[in-house]
Amino acid sequence: MDFVALGIQVVLLIVGFVLLIKGSDFFVDGSSSIASLLKIPTLIVGLTIVAFGTSAPEAAVSITSSLTGNNALAVSNVIGSNLFNILLIIGICALLKELELEKKVLNTDLPFLVIVTLIASAFILISWNITRIEGIILVLILIGYVIYLIYSTKKSEASQEVEKPKMGLPRSIIYIVGGIAAIVIGADLVVDSASYIAIACGMSETLVGLTIVAMGTSLPELVTSLTALRKGETELIIGNVIGSNIFNILFVLGASAAISPIAVNQNMLFDVVLMIFVTILCFIFAKTQDKYDKKEGVILVALYVIYMAFAILRN
């Protein structure tokens, strides 16, 4: 094994993650400012731009993987990120502070996440292949979801609140363009470096996607959630996780399959079933007492630790 080359690839992987995270920050800030300049309500910005922005690393990595033929990385990245978001982000936040849930989350967003998880899982399990048509269907469901969000939000009083722009139009455009460039370059570095490390260490692309890449691309969601927890904005944590998971399935997986049909490794049966299980478990915990408490936080974090140990041993 060439340790010098491996070390260089690890450094490039870290640089890629930094570019992904900072790029998504710049993209969200620039997009939010333009939305404010155009008088688009704060709530709509949060439900769409911020949710998409924190999922941008997953999208960039998975779409880049799809374009370069590394489709195993695209699927495992989405599944790994969704498991990370539910088990670790909600789990850690619930351990630190009880998370109260709003009626909209309980009655609309969580049920919708369960439904799209089941749809995507069915596409995978029926033929172990996500076709181009199935990818387009997922993207169309996302478009319908965003239209519904905008329509329902405009009917509420909260939609009247518009944030003050953080910056002017020229600077906003620079932030958006710079953010997208950083995301694209970062994604390319992460995919290439992760694939090299996987081969050099005898790891499968699937394992790398479920662990290293999934954790790295989920850092924006983790940072956003911990910041929201510190500021006492617990509803933002749940919205961030649910929104990101919905975008991961419908846009990231959908767009990747629409570009290039994805052949899914049958060894991922356990991972797909676990994603369904934890999503439904998250819904049951929520409906039982309208909140996530410390006991549920312990269960979720413990499940993630056990899953990571299993994924590594399985390899």
Side-chain angles (χ1 to χ4, degrees):
M1 184 186 293
D2 188 341
F3 289 103
V4 174
L6 184 62
I8 291 171
Q9 293 302 320
V10 170
V11 171
L12 289 174
L13 182 69
I14 294 168
V15 170
F17 280 140
V18 171
L19 286 171
L20 282 173
I21 294 162
K22 294 308 295 179
S24 62
D25 279 347
F26 273 57
F27 173 76
V28 169
D29 288 345
S31 301
S32 297
S33 288
I34 284 184
S36 300
L37 288 166
L38 297 174
K39 307 296 182 185
I40 296 173
T42 304
L43 194 52
I44 294 178
V45 172
L47 290 167
T48 54
I49 294 171
V50 175
F52 180 79
T54 56
S55 289
E58 285 93 340
V61 168
S62 295
I63 291 171
T64 302
S65 300
S66 191
L67 288 169
T68 55
N70 298 320
N71 280 344
L73 198 61
V75 178
S76 57
N77 180 30
V78 167
I79 293 175
S81 293
N82 280 20
L83 290 172
F84 182 94
N85 289 348
I86 291 175
L87 296 178
L88 211 58
I89 295 180
I90 292 181
I92 289 174
C93 290
L95 275 172
L96 297 172
K97 187 174 183 179
E98 198 171 83
L99 304 176
E100 299 278 344
L101 300 173
E102 295 180 356
K103 282 187 177 180
K104 181 184 176 298
V105 170
L106 290 167
N107 299 329
T108 305
D109 301 324
L110 265 174
F112 184 71
L113 175 59
V114 172
I115 290 167
V116 298
T117 300
L118 290 172
I119 291 172
S121 299
F123 286 163
I124 293 171
L125 297 174
I126 288 170
S127 61
W128 293 103
N129 183 54
I130 305 177
T131 66
R132 189 170 275 120
I133 291 174
E134 288 168 343
I136 292 169
I137 289 171
L138 293 176
V139 174
L140 289 175
I141 293 173
L142 175 63
I143 293 170
Y145 175 65
V146 172
I147 291 170
Y148 165 76
L149 282 180
I150 294 171
Y151 173 76
S152 61
T153 305
K154 280 191 172 181
K155 290 176 67 177
S156 70
E157 291 181 9
S159 67
Q160 302 308 313
E161 182 188 349
V162 177
E163 268 191 2
K164 290 182 180 178
K166 295 177 182 176
M167 59 191 87
L169 183 61
R171 190 177 167 194
S172 297
I173 293 171
I174 290 171
Y175 267 54
I176 290 173
V177 174
I180 291 172
I183 288 169
V184 171
I185 295 168
D188 201 36
L189 285 174
V190 167
V191 171
D192 289 347
S193 302
S195 299
Y196 181 93
I197 292 167
I199 294 167
C201 297
M203 298 168 69
S204 65
E205 271 191 7
T206 298
L207 178 63
V208 174
L210 289 168
T211 55
I212 299 170
V213 177
M215 289 179 184
T217 56
S218 290
L219 285 176
E221 285 93 335
L222 180 59
V223 172
T224 300
S225 296
L226 291 176
T227 302
L229 188 71
R230 183 170 53 83
K231 293 180 178 179
E233 298 172 352
T234 55
E235 71 283 350
L236 189 62
I237 297 167
I238 306 302
N240 180 33
V241 168
I242 294 171
S244 293
N245 280 20
I246 289 171
F247 269 85
N248 284 347
I249 291 170
L250 297 181
F251 179 74
V252 178
L253 207 56
S256 298
I259 292 168
S260 176
I262 303 173
V264 183
N265 190 327
Q266 293 189 29
N267 291 334
M268 292 191 69
L269 173 63
F270 178 81
D271 308 286
V272 175
V273 172
L274 182 65
M275 181 175 69
I276 297 169
F277 171 74
V278 300
T279 304
I280 293 173
L281 182 66
C282 184
F283 175 69
I284 292 170
F285 280 170
K287 293 295 280 186
T288 303
Q289 52 184 359
D290 298 354
K291 64 183 178 183
Y292 296 116
D293 58 23
K294 278 189 178 180
K295 179 182 69 177
E296 289 159 346
V298 169
I299 293 171
L300 294 175
V301 172
L303 280 173
Y304 191 76
V305 172
I306 293 167
Y307 171 64
M308 280 294 100
F310 170 78
I312 293 166
L313 289 172
R314 177 181 58 181
N315 189 67

